[in-house]
Amino acid sequence: MHQPKECHLHVAYRVLQYLKSTPGKGVLFKRSGKVEVEMFTDADYAGSTIDRRSTSSHLTFVGGNLVTWRSKKQNVVARSSAEAELRALAQGICELLWVKNLFDELQIPLFSPMKICCDNKLAINLVHNPVQYDCTKHVEIDRHFIKEKLEANVICISYIPTNNQLADMLTKGISGTQLQKIIPKLEMDDIHSPA
């Protein structure tokens, strides 16, 4: 905004071109029999070229419907990809706790733990491993917070391969073919497409 360049104008044109080509696209909420909460979390390690901070993102699905999504730069520089992912998990759990409180207020019971999908095996192992390592002291608070929610059976964390990670599109630039594979998984439909 303060120093616009021609490359910024080209990006704006690309956004307008995308919006023009997809006027009927939207998120369609479908009724399902179960109320299950599932979240995909991701982080790009040191993704910002200016200050090397990572970006956390998450997508929340309730009953298979996309209800919340967020992408935010982390407050501090992560010293490892596992640290960036742990911070993304902790932020995602805070969002899930908000969703759980909303369900409690609406008096809708959740019968199973809320599922979090993460593509970093080291971050998942750090959460499940009770042994405290010196190299993980800087992420100790996030690790204990996540472990506490796991032990209380509020959440469960599962590994998902990177090519199936839906939250990638909020942290990294992805190709058009990847985007075309992700859009149906987000339950985005085009009302103008032939039935």
Side-chain angles (χ1 to χ4, degrees), residues 44-178:
D44 68 335
Y45 173 57
S48 174
T49 56
I50 297 168
D51 58 7
R52 288 298 175 196
R53 290 187 183 176
S54 303
T55 301
S56 298
S57 67
H58 60 264
L59 298 160
T60 309
F61 292 83
V62 175
N65 298 303
L66 180 63
V67 292
T68 67
W69 57 92
R70 185 174 187 189
S71 180
K72 184 180 180 188
K73 189 186 278 193
Q74 294 181 357
N75 296 334
V76 295
V77 177
R79 294 179 3 190
S80 68
S81 62
E83 178 182 350
E85 292 282 351
L86 277 172
R87 287 210 170 95
L89 279 171
Q91 289 175 350
I93 290 170
C94 290
E95 178 81 11
L96 285 179
L97 293 175
W98 177 82
V99 169
K100 184 178 181 330
N101 285 339
L102 183 64
F103 274 89
D104 290 344
E105 286 181 22
L106 295 172
Q107 298 178 354
I108 300 171
L110 291 174
F111 297 109
S112 60
M114 297 177 287
K115 182 179 176 185
I116 298 182
C117 300
C118 176
D119 63 356
N120 190 300
K121 288 182 179 178
L122 180 58
I124 295 170
N125 290 339
L126 283 173
V127 171
H128 288 291
N129 191 351
V131 177
Q132 181 70 15
Y133 295 106
D134 286 339
C135 62
T136 62
K137 255 187 167 171
H138 54 285
V139 291
E140 185 177 340
I141 294 170
D142 286 335
R143 192 178 73 76
H144 282 292
F145 172 70
I146 297 165
K147 185 132 179 78
E148 179 182 282
K149 299 307 172 197
L150 274 171
E151 289 172 351
N153 208 27
V154 173
I155 61 161
C156 66
I157 300 175
S158 63
Y159 172 75
I160 185 166
T162 302
N163 57 348
N164 293 336
Q165 177 58 274
L166 299 180
D168 264 355
M169 68 178 202
L170 299 176
T171 57
K172 305 167 186 78
I174 59 173
S175 68
T177 54
Q178 277 182 298

Side-chain angles (χ1 to χ4, degrees), residues 27-32 60-67 186-187:
V27 178
L28 179 66
F29 293 101
K30 298 176 183 173
R31 187 178 200 159
S32 66
T60 309
F61 292 83
V62 175
N65 298 303
L66 180 63
V67 292
L186 299 177
E187 295 295 330

